[in-house]
Amino acid sequence: MGRQPSSKPTSFDIAYLAGVSQPTVSRALRGSRSVSLATRQRIEAIARELNYSVDKNASSLRSQRSNTIALLFFEDPTPDESNINPFFLAMLGSITRQCGVRGLDLLISFQKMEYDWHVRYQDSHRADGLILLGYGDYTLYARRLTELVDHGTHFVRWGSAGEDTIGPTVGSDNVGAGRLAGEHLLSIGRRRIAFLGQADEHYPEFADRYRGLCQAMAAVGVALDPALQVDALTAEDAGHTAARTLIARAKPFDAIFAASDLIAIGAMRALAEAGLSVPGDVAIIGFDDIPAASLTTPPLTTIMQDMKGAGQLLVDTLVAQVEDRPLPPCTLGTRLVVRRSTAG
Amino acid sequence: MGRQPSSKPTSFDIAYLAGVSQPTVSRALRGSRSVSLATRQRIEAIARELNYSVDKNASSLRSQRSNTIALLFFEDPTPDESNINPFFLAMLGSITRQCGVRGLDLLISFQKMEYDWHVRYQDSHRADGLILLGYGDYTLYARRLTELVDHGTHFVRWGSAGEDTIGPTVGSDNVGAGRLAGEHLLSIGRRRIAFLGQADEHYPEFADRYRGLCQAMAAVGVALDPALQVDALTAEDAGHTAARTLIARAKPFDAIFAASDLIAIGAMRALAEAGLSVPGDVAIIGFDDIPAASLTTPPLTTIMQDMKGAGQLLVDTLVAQVEDRPLPPCTLGTRLVVRRSTAG
DNA sequence: CGCCAGCAGGCATACGTATGCGCATATTAT
DNA sequence: ATAATATGCGCATACGTATGCCTGCTGGCG
């Protein structure tokens, strides 16, 4: 009925109509116990009728809390922003979900690791905290993390949750997952197992997966030949190159554990080019269970991480930290998904 | 010199140190012409040294501009938030990129179509405008869009950019793309072309692709058999089901144009199960060029949309609208990507 | 020598909400 | 009946920035 759409209603408007003061409106809408039920309901009704909604900026300014978190992706090797790591995208789904559950807004941004995240997001009060997602050289990364900690920035990162990590970290049990992969390959009779992926301490997640593989092999008295490990960052091309290198070394192998599905997919391409059959000549197992894993020929056996749990844990851990009651670090389980690339 | 890290510096602190007033600091940092170069540089130096950053909430509150846009995904059929449409994810990359270029923050959220977007994002001043992304029944969608327009909400949507669309719309030239697909199939000698995807007006994008296909066929004097069109929403299962239906109809066909890659992938599975070879018995072409398209067996020919242009155009159009200088509607070109699923 | 223009910056205030504190009124204990 | 407690709400103010308006000063020009 001809309300002016020109200016949004404020809490003062509600207050006037309800015959109370503005602070009372604020309290009522936030559910304060010091407003009587009758008054609150009256205020809520009026607010609903006027289509009132709290001004986020004013609210955040006054309360010094934005109820927003920033999700920062960064990738070291890929300057091509169109090709986002599919694994992180699965994470995105899980994180948005949990933010929805907790009524948080989610800012997202793709960043170079060099950028000053904290300034842009936390100091400016855009967000209450940061979720950091990305692989990358850990030594460089670690410097940044230390800066963040020193700066008092609230953040959680996804990564290898070892003892010595910098800042709160949530991650899968990569060692256990590596063991899982190794045991599976051993169980189908493979003994000469190759590992494609960085195995040095600059990339702790991959290194942990490698360590798990070694453990599994050691448990049955098989040693892993260092010549069967080839570095590869997480990209299809890297996997392709690494597999070619592996083949060129002419050391016999009958299985590959790839540190990520993308690496595995690239490796399968190289194997096909070399005339090697999967799983006949070489069984192969990946990591992440990205959507494409079930589409390869043959479909790729892989390790699935607990995506749903990951988003939940990341968000919960961050919120806990913002509220100054830090949560103990926590590790997520993984699951083996058997497909035809390791059949028989 | 023992600054208190306990409280963030404000523009007043800067002002004091620079021997000017707070408003001058504000003007200087925003690059106002009415501050002398010398003063500005002095202020900038101090700000940098104190690690000052403008409080986003205060700034937005005062200026009534958040420099933030909200990206809203919604999907009708999929309640499973882990399986996001890969096409939209490519869009996400492109949009974040353009936001970065323009210095905008990006809020993202997955929503049910029923939800009251405008209230949550624009009325509360969380964002200056909305980008809407998602397929879905257009009749339901249209009601929502009309509400948004009536409400004066700033938004752009990705969709079929026809004459009669509600609100600013950015989209690919779907009719042209459909023609492209049709011409390609015709050029390799196929005449009995099936279409998998909704062809009715509830799903304008798919309908346009279908229309383009019809045009291409008509141009060479071939009629499309309505029995060769099967409804399918954009999901792999839907494609699988649709292809089975198609096969069950026992009408001969030698090519399939799938309205999306996901549909195409599902259809290929059904073809394989039915013992039909690709491209021997049936050539198949998809739409979107999602990453998985190059991994299928055989790799999938498809139509690539101009992702980079899409993000750019969406963001620019939205910003223009927020600044009250609406841009004319615009359509993006598409490109055929030939792979083996339509070889020979 | 006086007048006007233009530059640089200060003053006051607005943006809309949240919250510490104080003050009535209603309720219970003594 | 009075003092002590609780309940419900108003007052004042703070959060930190941006901007309209006004002022003082410098310089050029007639």
Side-chain angles (χ1 to χ4, degrees):
Chain A
M1 325 266 240
R3 251 184 301 96
Q4 302 290 12
S6 51
S7 70
K8 317 270 176 207
T10 72
S11 51
F12 283 97
D13 298 323
I14 314 273
Y16 176 76
L17 291 176
V20 296
S21 71
Q22 177 271 329
T24 298
V25 172
S26 173
R27 282 189 256 260
L29 295 179
R30 316 205 78 238
S32 160
R33 295 266 303 142
S34 74
V35 175
S36 72
L37 182 65
T39 309
R40 168 172 354 153
Q41 290 181 336
R42 187 155 34 99
I43 289 175
E44 280 170 347
I46 296 174
R48 208 172 316 117
E49 208 219 332
L50 290 195
N51 259 318
Y52 170 78
S53 71
V54 174
D55 185 297
K56 193 61 187 337
N57 298 126
S59 169
S60 297
L61 173 59
R62 174 62 228 236
S63 67
Q64 300 289 56
R65 195 88 157 24
S66 67
N67 284 311
T68 301
I69 68 185
L71 176 55
L72 270 33
F73 289 92
F74 50 93
E75 264 182 297
D76 213 18
T78 341
D80 172 14
E81 58 283 318
S82 71
N83 250 6
I84 309 166
N85 187 323
F87 168 70
F88 291 147
L89 290 178
M91 199 72 109
L92 171 62
S94 148
I95 290 172
T96 51
R97 162 126 186 92
Q98 184 65 6
C99 284
V101 168
R102 303 196 64 132
L104 299 171
D105 283 326
L106 185 65
L107 277 172
I108 124 164
S109 174
F110 294 55
Q111 303 275 336
K112 297 243 185 305
M113 194 152 30
E114 291 72 28
Y115 203 67
D116 49 351
W117 312 312
H118 45 298
V119 173
R120 178 158 172 85
Y121 289 99
Q122 176 152 334
D123 291 2
S124 66
H125 292 290
R126 274 176 172 81
D128 298 329
L130 274 38
I131 294 182
L132 269 32
L133 226 54
Y135 296 120
D137 186 325
Y138 190 71
T139 44
L140 173 55
Y141 193 15
R143 251 197 42 225
R144 277 276 172 241
L145 292 180
T146 307
E147 284 177 23
L148 288 189
V149 171
D150 291 349
H151 196 75
T153 303
H154 303 301
F155 74 94
V156 201
R157 69 185 195 92
W158 174 259
S160 177
E163 305 290 307
D164 56 344
T165 66
I166 302 163
T169 302
V170 169
S172 288
D173 173 12
N174 286 293
V175 176
R179 214 162 15 197
L180 219 56
E183 285 163 0
H184 175 63
L185 292 175
L186 290 166
S187 80
I188 59 168
R190 310 295 165 128
R191 288 294 178 275
R192 302 163 182 283
I193 303 177
F195 181 82
L196 301 188
Q198 308 291 130
D200 60 295
E201 291 308 319
H202 287 220
Y203 299 83
E205 300 193 67
F206 284 11
D208 282 353
R209 293 170 197 179
Y210 182 63
R211 198 172 313 140
L213 172 63
C214 295
Q215 287 180 11
M217 294 180 70
V220 297
V222 183
L224 193 147
D225 184 347
L228 291 183
Q229 183 270 325
V230 183
D231 281 356
L233 287 175
T234 187
E236 198 189 326
D237 283 352
H240 185 250
T241 308
R244 287 175 58 97
T245 305
L246 177 65
I247 294 166
R249 285 191 188 158
K251 290 263 188 182
F253 62 96
D254 55 13
I256 290 177
F257 174 23
S260 82
D261 282 350
L262 288 177
I263 292 177
I265 288 169
M268 285 175 75
R269 193 151 51 84
L271 292 174
E273 287 164 8
L276 293 169
S277 78
V278 175
D281 297 323
V282 179
I284 181 164
I285 180 170
F287 207 106
D288 289 344
D289 195 23
I290 64 177
S294 59
L295 297 174
T296 54
T297 314
L300 183 65
T301 294
T302 190
I303 303 283
M304 194 176 87
Q305 305 191 59
D306 179 6
M307 284 301 130
K308 204 174 149 193
Q312 219 164 306
L313 200 54
L314 281 168
V315 174
D316 290 357
T317 303
L318 182 57
V319 169
Q321 200 197 345
V322 169
E323 290 171 355
D324 213 36
R325 43 171 184 78
L327 244 47
C330 192
T331 284
L332 292 157
T334 55
R335 214 158 61 71
L336 178 70
V337 179
V338 180
R339 299 206 182 90
R340 289 218 313 280
S341 73
T342 58
Chain B
M1 322 251 250
R3 251 184 300 96
Q4 303 288 15
S6 51
S7 68
K8 317 272 176 206
T10 73
S11 51
F12 283 96
D13 299 325
I14 313 272
Y16 177 76
L17 290 175
V20 297
S21 71
Q22 177 272 329
T24 298
V25 173
S26 173
R27 284 190 255 259
L29 294 179
R30 314 205 79 239
S32 161
R33 294 269 300 144
S34 74
V35 175
S36 74
L37 183 64
T39 310
R40 165 167 1 147
Q41 291 181 335
R42 188 156 34 98
I43 289 175
E44 281 170 347
I46 296 175
R48 208 172 315 119
E49 209 219 331
L50 292 194
N51 261 315
Y52 171 78
S53 70
V54 175
D55 185 297
K56 194 61 186 338
N57 298 126
S59 168
S60 298
L61 173 60
R62 173 60 227 238
S63 67
Q64 301 289 58
R65 197 86 158 24
S66 66
N67 284 310
T68 301
I69 67 185
L71 175 56
L72 271 34
F73 290 90
F74 51 93
E75 264 181 294
D76 213 18
T78 341
D80 173 15
E81 58 283 317
S82 71
N83 252 5
I84 309 166
N85 187 324
F87 168 70
F88 290 148
L89 290 178
M91 198 73 108
L92 172 62
S94 148
I95 289 172
T96 51
R97 162 128 185 92
Q98 185 65 7
C99 284
V101 169
R102 303 196 65 134
L104 298 171
D105 284 326
L106 184 65
L107 276 172
I108 124 167
S109 174
F110 294 55
Q111 302 274 338
K112 296 243 185 305
M113 195 151 28
E114 290 73 28
Y115 203 67
D116 49 350
W117 313 314
H118 44 298
V119 174
R120 177 158 172 85
Y121 288 99
Q122 175 152 333
D123 291 2
S124 66
H125 292 290
R126 272 176 172 81
D128 297 329
L130 274 39
I131 294 183
L132 270 32
L133 227 54
Y135 296 120
D137 186 324
Y138 191 70
T139 44
L140 174 54
Y141 194 14
R143 251 197 43 223
R144 279 273 172 240
L145 292 180
T146 308
E147 285 176 24
L148 287 188
V149 171
D150 291 349
H151 196 75
T153 303
H154 303 303
F155 73 94
V156 201
R157 68 184 196 94
W158 174 259
S160 178
E163 304 291 306
D164 55 344
T165 66
I166 302 162
T169 303
V170 169
S172 287
D173 173 13
N174 286 295
V175 176
R179 214 162 13 195
L180 219 56
E183 284 162 1
H184 176 61
L185 292 174
L186 291 166
S187 80
I188 59 168
R190 310 293 164 130
R191 288 297 178 272
R192 302 164 182 282
I193 303 177
F195 180 83
L196 301 188
Q198 309 291 128
D200 60 297
E201 291 307 320
H202 286 219
Y203 299 84
E205 300 193 67
F206 284 11
D208 281 353
R209 293 171 196 177
Y210 182 62
R211 197 171 313 138
L213 172 63
C214 295
Q215 287 180 11
M217 294 179 70
V220 297
V222 184
L224 193 146
D225 184 348
L228 291 183
Q229 183 271 325
V230 183
D231 282 356
L233 287 175
T234 187
E236 199 190 324
D237 282 353
H240 186 250
T241 309
R244 286 175 58 98
T245 304
L246 177 65
I247 293 167
R249 284 193 188 158
K251 289 265 186 180
F253 63 96
D254 55 13
I256 291 177
F257 174 24
S260 82
D261 282 350
L262 287 178
I263 292 175
I265 288 170
M268 285 175 76
R269 195 152 49 84
L271 292 174
E273 287 164 8
L276 293 168
S277 79
V278 175
D281 297 324
V282 179
I284 181 163
I285 180 170
F287 207 107
D288 289 343
D289 195 24
I290 64 176
S294 59
L295 296 174
T296 54
T297 314
L300 183 65
T301 294
T302 190
I303 303 282
M304 195 176 85
Q305 306 191 59
D306 179 5
M307 283 301 130
K308 203 173 149 193
Q312 219 163 305
L313 200 54
L314 280 168
V315 173
D316 290 356
T317 304
L318 182 57
V319 169
Q321 199 196 345
V322 169
E323 290 171 354
D324 214 35
R325 44 170 184 78
L327 243 46
C330 193
T331 285
L332 292 158
T334 56
R335 214 159 62 70
L336 178 70
V337 179
V338 180
R339 300 206 181 89
R340 290 220 310 281
S341 72
T342 59

